[in-house]
Amino acid sequence: MSYELVINSTDNEVVTALLHENKLIELHKQGLDDKFNVGDVYLGKVKKIVPSLNAAFVDVGYEKDAFLHYHDLGPRFKSMNKYVQNTLVGKQSTSKLGYNKIEAQIDKDGKMKDHLSSKQLMAVQVIKEPISAKGPRISAEVTLAGRFLVLVPFSDKISVSQKIKEQSER
C-alpha cells in the first residue's frame, strides 16, 4: 500500500490531497489569511530566550512573537530539531523519519538556553491562538492529525482512533 500526500501552496490557498495507490482519498482546500489557527505548523526563528520564564519568544510571522515554554519543547525535541536542521542545510537525503537516529529525550526539568539559541530556526505548531496584546502560544512537539490516528514524529507510542471498533483492524 502506498500513500502520498500532495500539497499545492499558492498566494491564495493551500490544497492538500491524500492519494492511496494513486487514487484520491481526501482533498482539503484552505484559503490563506492572516489568522493563526490552532494546529498550523511554521518554521519559526528564535528571537529571545528568557531564562527567568524558562521560555523563548519565536517569530512565526505574527505581529507579536509567539511564546514557547520549555515544557512545550516535547521529550523528543533533540530528534526533531536535528531533523529540521539537517533538512535546512541539505544533509537530509530523505523525508522518511525512520532513517533518522532517535536522540535521547530532553530532561523534564532542563533549561531552555541549553537547547535553543537566538536566531535558531525550528519547526513549531500553534497550540493557542493570539489574544489581545499577546502572540500565539506554540509547541515544538508537532502533531499531525489524520482520520484515524495522530502522527507524532520520533515518538515511540502508537495510538489508534477509538472510531476503529474491530480489534483485527486496530
Side-chain angles (χ1 to χ4, degrees), residues 43-45 80-92 119-123:
L43 185 63
K45 186 176 193 177
M80 184 65 166
N81 190 48
K82 183 177 178 183
Y83 178 80
V84 170
Q85 299 309 319
N86 285 342
T87 301
L88 289 171
V89 298
K91 290 183 181 177
Q92 193 67 36
K119 298 184 182 177
Q120 176 180 336
L121 294 174
M122 61 187 297

Short mmCIF file of all heavy atoms in Angstrom, two decimals, residues 43-45 80-92 119-123:
data_model
loop_
_atom_site.label_atom_id
_atom_site.label_comp_id
_atom_site.label_asym_id
_atom_site.label_seq_id
_atom_site.Cartn_x
_atom_site.Cartn_y
_atom_site.Cartn_z
N LEU A 43 7.87 27.33 10.37
CA LEU A 43 9.30 27.34 10.62
C LEU A 43 9.56 28.68 11.30
O LEU A 43 9.52 29.73 10.67
CB LEU A 43 10.09 27.23 9.32
CG LEU A 43 11.60 27.12 9.47
CD1 LEU A 43 11.97 25.85 10.23
CD2 LEU A 43 12.28 27.14 8.12
N GLY A 44 9.77 28.63 12.61
CA GLY A 44 9.94 29.85 13.40
C GLY A 44 11.40 30.16 13.65
O GLY A 44 12.27 29.29 13.56
N LYS A 45 11.65 31.42 13.99
CA LYS A 45 13.01 31.87 14.29
C LYS A 45 13.04 32.39 15.72
O LYS A 45 12.27 33.29 16.07
CB LYS A 45 13.41 32.98 13.33
CG LYS A 45 14.84 33.44 13.46
CD LYS A 45 15.14 34.48 12.39
CE LYS A 45 16.61 34.74 12.28
NZ LYS A 45 16.90 35.69 11.20
N MET A 80 13.72 15.89 16.66
CA MET A 80 13.01 16.75 15.71
C MET A 80 13.90 17.91 15.27
O MET A 80 13.95 18.26 14.09
CB MET A 80 11.72 17.27 16.33
CG MET A 80 10.87 18.08 15.39
SD MET A 80 10.27 17.08 14.04
CE MET A 80 9.02 18.15 13.39
N ASN A 81 14.60 18.52 16.21
CA ASN A 81 15.46 19.65 15.89
C ASN A 81 16.60 19.24 14.97
O ASN A 81 16.93 19.95 14.02
CB ASN A 81 16.00 20.28 17.17
CG ASN A 81 16.69 21.59 16.90
OD1 ASN A 81 16.17 22.45 16.21
ND2 ASN A 81 17.89 21.74 17.42
N LYS A 82 17.19 18.08 15.22
CA LYS A 82 18.26 17.58 14.37
C LYS A 82 17.75 17.35 12.95
O LYS A 82 18.41 17.69 11.97
CB LYS A 82 18.83 16.29 14.95
CG LYS A 82 19.99 15.73 14.17
CD LYS A 82 20.56 14.49 14.84
CE LYS A 82 21.69 13.90 14.04
NZ LYS A 82 22.18 12.66 14.65
N TYR A 83 16.55 16.78 12.83
CA TYR A 83 15.94 16.54 11.52
C TYR A 83 15.72 17.86 10.78
O TYR A 83 16.06 17.99 9.61
CB TYR A 83 14.61 15.80 11.71
CG TYR A 83 13.87 15.55 10.43
CD1 TYR A 83 14.22 14.50 9.59
CD2 TYR A 83 12.82 16.38 10.04
CE1 TYR A 83 13.53 14.27 8.41
CE2 TYR A 83 12.13 16.17 8.86
CZ TYR A 83 12.49 15.10 8.05
OH TYR A 83 11.82 14.88 6.88
N VAL A 84 15.17 18.86 11.47
CA VAL A 84 14.91 20.16 10.85
C VAL A 84 16.22 20.83 10.42
O VAL A 84 16.32 21.33 9.29
CB VAL A 84 14.11 21.08 11.80
CG1 VAL A 84 14.05 22.50 11.28
CG2 VAL A 84 12.70 20.53 12.02
N GLN A 85 17.21 20.83 11.29
CA GLN A 85 18.49 21.48 10.97
C GLN A 85 19.17 20.79 9.78
O GLN A 85 19.70 21.46 8.89
CB GLN A 85 19.42 21.50 12.19
CG GLN A 85 18.88 22.25 13.39
CD GLN A 85 18.40 23.65 13.10
OE1 GLN A 85 19.01 24.39 12.36
NE2 GLN A 85 17.26 24.02 13.69
N ASN A 86 19.16 19.46 9.76
CA ASN A 86 19.76 18.73 8.63
C ASN A 86 19.01 19.00 7.33
O ASN A 86 19.62 19.08 6.27
CB ASN A 86 19.80 17.23 8.92
CG ASN A 86 20.87 16.85 9.91
OD1 ASN A 86 21.81 17.61 10.16
ND2 ASN A 86 20.75 15.67 10.49
N THR A 87 17.70 19.14 7.41
CA THR A 87 16.91 19.45 6.23
C THR A 87 17.24 20.84 5.71
O THR A 87 17.38 21.05 4.49
CB THR A 87 15.40 19.35 6.54
OG1 THR A 87 15.12 18.02 6.99
CG2 THR A 87 14.56 19.65 5.33
N LEU A 88 17.39 21.79 6.60
CA LEU A 88 17.68 23.18 6.20
C LEU A 88 19.03 23.32 5.50
O LEU A 88 19.17 24.15 4.60
CB LEU A 88 17.63 24.10 7.41
CG LEU A 88 16.24 24.35 7.99
CD1 LEU A 88 16.33 25.11 9.31
CD2 LEU A 88 15.36 25.11 7.00
N VAL A 89 20.01 22.53 5.90
CA VAL A 89 21.35 22.64 5.28
C VAL A 89 21.56 21.62 4.18
O VAL A 89 22.64 21.55 3.61
CB VAL A 89 22.48 22.52 6.34
CG1 VAL A 89 22.41 23.65 7.33
CG2 VAL A 89 22.46 21.18 7.04
N GLY A 90 20.54 20.83 3.85
CA GLY A 90 20.63 19.89 2.74
C GLY A 90 21.28 18.56 3.07
O GLY A 90 21.60 17.79 2.16
N LYS A 91 21.46 18.25 4.34
CA LYS A 91 22.07 16.97 4.73
C LYS A 91 21.05 15.85 4.81
O LYS A 91 21.41 14.69 4.89
CB LYS A 91 22.77 17.09 6.08
CG LYS A 91 24.03 17.92 6.05
CD LYS A 91 24.69 17.92 7.42
CE LYS A 91 25.95 18.76 7.41
NZ LYS A 91 26.55 18.82 8.77
N GLN A 92 19.78 16.19 4.80
CA GLN A 92 18.71 15.20 4.92
C GLN A 92 18.42 14.65 3.52
O GLN A 92 17.87 15.34 2.69
CB GLN A 92 17.47 15.87 5.52
CG GLN A 92 16.41 14.93 5.97
CD GLN A 92 16.85 14.10 7.15
OE1 GLN A 92 17.57 14.55 8.02
NE2 GLN A 92 16.43 12.87 7.17
N LYS A 119 18.20 33.29 17.11
CA LYS A 119 18.19 33.23 15.63
C LYS A 119 18.12 31.81 15.08
O LYS A 119 18.19 31.60 13.89
CB LYS A 119 19.38 33.98 15.04
CG LYS A 119 19.38 35.45 15.37
CD LYS A 119 20.50 36.17 14.69
CE LYS A 119 20.46 37.64 15.10
NZ LYS A 119 21.55 38.41 14.54
N GLN A 120 17.95 30.82 15.95
CA GLN A 120 17.82 29.43 15.51
C GLN A 120 16.47 29.23 14.83
O GLN A 120 15.45 29.73 15.28
CB GLN A 120 17.95 28.50 16.71
CG GLN A 120 17.73 27.04 16.38
CD GLN A 120 17.86 26.15 17.61
OE1 GLN A 120 18.51 26.52 18.58
NE2 GLN A 120 17.24 25.00 17.57
N LEU A 121 16.44 28.46 13.74
CA LEU A 121 15.19 28.11 13.08
C LEU A 121 14.70 26.78 13.64
O LEU A 121 15.51 25.87 13.89
CB LEU A 121 15.40 28.00 11.57
CG LEU A 121 15.74 29.30 10.85
CD1 LEU A 121 16.08 29.02 9.40
CD2 LEU A 121 14.61 30.29 10.96
N MET A 122 13.39 26.67 13.82
CA MET A 122 12.83 25.44 14.37
C MET A 122 11.39 25.26 13.91
O MET A 122 10.69 26.23 13.62
CB MET A 122 12.89 25.47 15.90
CG MET A 122 12.12 26.60 16.52
SD MET A 122 12.34 26.76 18.29
CE MET A 122 11.68 25.24 18.87
N ALA A 123 10.95 24.00 13.81
CA ALA A 123 9.57 23.70 13.46
C ALA A 123 8.71 23.84 14.71
O ALA A 123 9.05 23.31 15.77
CB ALA A 123 9.46 22.28 12.91
#
